[in-house]
Protein backbone atom coordinates (compact mmCIF):
# COMPACT_ATOMS: atom_id res chain seq x y z
CA UNK A 1 0.00 0.00 0.00
CA UNK A 2 2.89 2.38 0.86
CA UNK A 3 4.33 1.89 -2.63
CA UNK A 4 1.01 2.88 -4.26
CA UNK A 5 0.75 5.98 -2.06
CA UNK A 6 4.34 6.95 -3.00
CA UNK A 7 3.54 6.58 -6.72
CA UNK A 8 0.40 8.73 -6.42
CA UNK A 9 2.33 11.30 -4.37
CA UNK A 10 5.11 11.43 -6.97
CA UNK A 11 2.69 11.83 -9.87
CA UNK A 12 0.61 14.55 -8.23
CA UNK A 13 2.17 16.57 -5.41
CA UNK A 14 5.79 16.24 -6.53
CA UNK A 15 4.88 16.92 -10.16
CA UNK A 16 3.11 20.15 -9.15
CA UNK A 17 6.03 21.24 -6.96
CA UNK A 18 8.51 20.33 -9.73
CA UNK A 19 6.69 22.74 -12.02
CA UNK A 20 6.24 25.53 -9.46
CA UNK A 21 8.79 25.57 -6.60
CA UNK A 22 12.30 24.14 -6.94
CA UNK A 23 13.07 24.43 -3.21
CA UNK A 24 9.84 22.78 -2.05
CA UNK A 25 10.15 20.09 -4.74
CA UNK A 26 13.70 19.11 -3.72
CA UNK A 27 12.82 19.04 -0.03
CA UNK A 28 9.78 16.81 -0.71
CA UNK A 29 11.54 14.55 -3.23
CA UNK A 30 14.54 14.03 -0.94
CA UNK A 31 12.16 13.11 1.88
CA UNK A 32 10.36 10.57 -0.37
CA UNK A 33 13.66 9.00 -1.47
CA UNK A 34 14.80 8.74 2.16
CA UNK A 35 11.51 7.05 3.10
CA UNK A 36 12.07 4.54 0.29
CA UNK A 37 15.55 3.78 1.67
CA UNK A 38 17.91 5.88 -0.48
CA UNK A 39 20.88 7.21 1.51
CA UNK A 40 20.65 10.85 0.46
CA UNK A 41 22.25 14.05 1.68
CA UNK A 42 21.14 17.46 0.43
CA UNK A 43 21.18 17.37 -3.37
CA UNK A 44 20.82 20.56 -5.39
CA UNK A 45 18.53 18.94 -7.96
CA UNK A 46 17.28 15.50 -9.00
CA UNK A 47 14.91 15.54 -11.93
CA UNK A 48 11.54 13.89 -11.40
CA UNK A 49 12.18 11.66 -14.45
CA UNK A 50 15.24 10.04 -12.82
CA UNK A 51 14.66 6.32 -12.38
CA UNK A 52 16.00 4.64 -9.25
CA UNK A 53 16.19 0.83 -9.20
CA UNK A 54 13.54 -0.34 -6.75
CA UNK A 55 15.17 -3.76 -6.24
CA UNK A 56 16.93 -2.28 -3.18
CA UNK A 57 16.84 1.48 -2.60
CA UNK A 58 19.15 1.10 0.40
CA UNK A 59 22.03 0.32 -1.98
CA UNK A 60 21.87 3.86 -3.46
CA UNK A 61 23.86 6.71 -1.88
CA UNK A 62 23.65 10.31 -3.10
CA UNK A 63 25.82 12.84 -1.31
CA UNK A 64 25.35 16.62 -0.90
CA UNK A 65 25.22 19.17 -3.74
CA UNK A 66 24.57 16.58 -6.46
CA UNK A 67 22.68 17.49 -9.66
CA UNK A 68 21.00 14.67 -11.61
CA UNK A 69 19.48 15.53 -14.99
CA UNK A 70 16.44 14.18 -16.83
CA UNK A 71 15.90 10.51 -17.56
CA UNK A 72 18.96 9.22 -15.69
CA UNK A 73 18.78 5.55 -14.60
CA UNK A 74 20.48 4.33 -11.43
CA UNK A 75 20.71 0.51 -11.34
CA UNK A 76 21.70 -1.77 -8.48
CA UNK A 77 20.72 -5.16 -9.93
CA UNK A 78 22.16 -7.37 -12.68
CA UNK A 79 20.49 -10.51 -14.09
CA UNK A 80 23.08 -11.06 -16.85
CA UNK A 81 24.60 -14.18 -15.26
CA UNK A 82 21.19 -15.91 -15.25
CA UNK A 83 20.68 -14.99 -18.89
CA UNK A 84 24.16 -16.28 -19.71
CA UNK A 85 23.54 -19.59 -17.95
CA UNK A 86 20.28 -20.12 -19.83
CA UNK A 87 22.00 -19.23 -23.12
CA UNK A 88 24.41 -22.17 -22.70
CA UNK A 89 21.60 -24.59 -21.88
CA UNK A 90 21.68 -24.53 -18.08
CA UNK A 91 18.39 -24.90 -16.23
CA UNK A 92 17.95 -22.51 -13.31
CA UNK A 93 16.39 -23.51 -10.00
CA UNK A 94 15.89 -19.78 -9.45
CA UNK A 95 17.14 -16.53 -10.94
CA UNK A 96 20.65 -15.47 -10.00
CA UNK A 97 20.73 -11.73 -9.35
CA UNK A 98 23.75 -9.67 -8.40
CA UNK A 99 22.94 -6.60 -6.31
CA UNK A 100 25.70 -4.01 -5.92
CA UNK A 101 25.61 -0.54 -4.35
CA UNK A 102 25.85 2.75 -6.25
CA UNK A 103 27.49 5.83 -4.77
CA UNK A 104 27.29 9.35 -6.24
CA UNK A 105 29.85 11.65 -4.61
CA UNK A 106 29.23 15.18 -3.42
CA UNK A 107 29.16 18.07 -5.89
CA UNK A 108 28.79 15.75 -8.89
CA UNK A 109 26.70 16.32 -12.01
CA UNK A 110 25.03 13.45 -13.91
CA UNK A 111 24.04 14.38 -17.47
CA UNK A 112 20.84 13.67 -19.40
CA UNK A 113 19.96 10.01 -20.02
CA UNK A 114 23.08 8.61 -18.37
CA UNK A 115 22.98 5.11 -16.90
CA UNK A 116 24.76 4.41 -13.63
CA UNK A 117 25.40 0.66 -13.50
CA UNK A 118 25.45 -1.58 -10.39
CA UNK A 119 28.64 -1.30 -8.35
CA UNK A 120 29.53 2.17 -9.62
CA UNK A 121 31.25 4.57 -7.24
CA UNK A 122 31.42 8.15 -8.53
CA UNK A 123 33.88 10.28 -6.59
CA UNK A 124 33.31 13.86 -5.52
CA UNK A 125 33.11 16.76 -7.98
CA UNK A 126 32.64 14.68 -11.13
CA UNK A 127 30.83 15.49 -14.37
CA UNK A 128 29.16 12.59 -16.17
CA UNK A 129 28.39 13.60 -19.77
CA UNK A 130 24.94 13.13 -21.30
CA UNK A 131 24.18 9.60 -22.47
CA UNK A 132 27.11 8.02 -20.65
CA UNK A 133 27.08 4.45 -19.36
CA UNK A 134 29.09 4.47 -16.14
CA UNK A 135 30.58 1.42 -14.46
CA UNK A 136 33.20 0.86 -11.78
CA UNK A 137 35.14 3.47 -9.85
CA UNK A 138 35.21 7.07 -11.07
CA UNK A 139 38.06 9.07 -9.58
CA UNK A 140 37.20 12.38 -7.88
CA UNK A 141 37.29 15.46 -10.17
CA UNK A 142 36.85 13.35 -13.33
CA UNK A 143 34.90 14.31 -16.43
CA UNK A 144 33.50 11.11 -17.94
CA UNK A 145 31.67 10.59 -21.23
CA UNK A 146 30.70 7.83 -23.62
CA UNK A 147 29.56 4.23 -23.74
CA UNK A 148 31.34 2.90 -21.84
CA UNK A 149 32.20 6.13 -20.06
CA UNK A 150 35.86 7.07 -20.27
CA UNK A 151 37.73 9.84 -18.49
CA UNK A 152 38.06 12.79 -20.85
CA UNK A 153 39.26 15.45 -18.45
CA UNK A 154 39.57 16.98 -15.00
CA UNK A 155 36.82 19.28 -13.70
CA UNK A 156 39.37 21.67 -12.18
CA UNK A 157 41.20 22.26 -15.49
CA UNK A 158 37.88 22.52 -17.34
CA UNK A 159 36.55 25.08 -14.84
CA UNK A 160 39.64 27.30 -15.14
CA UNK A 161 39.23 27.22 -18.92
CA UNK A 162 35.54 28.19 -18.57
CA UNK A 163 36.37 31.10 -16.22
CA UNK A 164 38.56 32.52 -18.97
CA UNK A 165 35.92 31.95 -21.70
CA UNK A 166 32.70 33.16 -20.05
CA UNK A 167 32.54 36.94 -19.78
CA UNK A 168 29.96 37.31 -16.97
CA UNK A 169 31.12 34.34 -14.86
CA UNK A 170 32.59 36.70 -12.24
CA UNK A 171 29.01 37.79 -11.39
CA UNK A 172 28.41 34.27 -10.07
CA UNK A 173 31.61 33.77 -8.07
CA UNK A 174 31.63 34.69 -4.37
CA UNK A 175 34.49 36.15 -2.35
Amino acid sequence: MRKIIDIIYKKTVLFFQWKTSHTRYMRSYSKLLRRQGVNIGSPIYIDLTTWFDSVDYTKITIEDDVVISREVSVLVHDYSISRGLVSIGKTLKKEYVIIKPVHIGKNSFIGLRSVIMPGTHIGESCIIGAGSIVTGKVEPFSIMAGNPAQKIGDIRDWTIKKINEIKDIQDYIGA
Side-chain angles (χ1 to χ4, degrees):
M1 185 65 166
R2 180 85 228 156
K3 196 170 193 174
I4 293 169
I5 291 169
D6 287 348
I7 290 168
I8 293 168
Y9 178 77
K10 184 174 181 180
K11 293 192 179 282
T12 56
V13 175
L14 277 179
F15 181 78
F16 178 75
Q17 290 176 347
W18 180 54
K19 293 291 188 181
T20 60
S21 171
H22 170 82
T23 305
R24 187 175 299 142
Y25 159 72
M26 276 314 304
R27 192 171 40 247
S28 298
Y29 195 25
S30 294
K31 185 177 179 181
L32 172 65
L33 290 172
R34 272 187 207 96
R35 186 169 63 239
Q36 292 174 328
V38 175
N39 304 300
I40 188 168
S42 297
I44 292 172
Y45 182 74
I46 300 173
D47 195 84
L48 193 57
T49 61
T50 298
W51 185 79
F52 293 101
D53 193 341
S54 62
V55 168
D56 189 347
Y57 289 116
T58 66
K59 298 294 184 188
I60 301 169
T61 299
I62 302 168
E63 290 192 28
D64 295 339
D65 301 327
V66 167
V67 175
I68 301 179
S69 299
R70 292 185 59 76
E71 300 173 29
V72 169
S73 295
V74 179
L75 300 170
V76 297
H77 79 280
D78 178 356
Y79 281 91
S80 62
I81 298 297
S82 285
R83 305 291 46 90
L85 290 168
V86 171
S87 76
I88 61 171
K90 301 294 181 186
T91 303
L92 300 177
K93 296 180 211 170
K94 64 180 186 174
E95 290 293 328
Y96 182 79
V97 61
I98 298 169
I99 298 174
K100 294 181 180 178
V102 168
H103 182 101
I104 301 174
K106 70 179 179 175
N107 192 44
S108 290
F109 171 79
I110 313 297
L112 174 83
R113 292 189 178 152
S114 292
V115 178
I116 312 302
M117 297 297 288
T120 298
H121 183 102
I122 298 171
E124 74 171 280
S125 298
C126 290
I127 295 175
I128 307 300
S132 296
I133 310 297
V134 187
T135 60
K137 185 168 176 51
V138 177
E139 295 174 12
F141 308 104
S142 295
I143 300 175
M144 306 287 287
N147 178 8
Q150 300 290 317
K151 185 173 180 177
I152 62 169
D154 184 290
I155 192 172
R156 296 163 293 194
D157 298 334
W158 177 83
T159 303
I160 290 167
K161 181 180 172 190
K162 290 299 177 185
I163 287 171
N164 295 325
E165 288 177 2
I166 302 171
K167 293 183 186 353
D168 71 341
I169 195 73
Q170 296 302 328
D171 296 343
Y172 295 87
I173 301 173

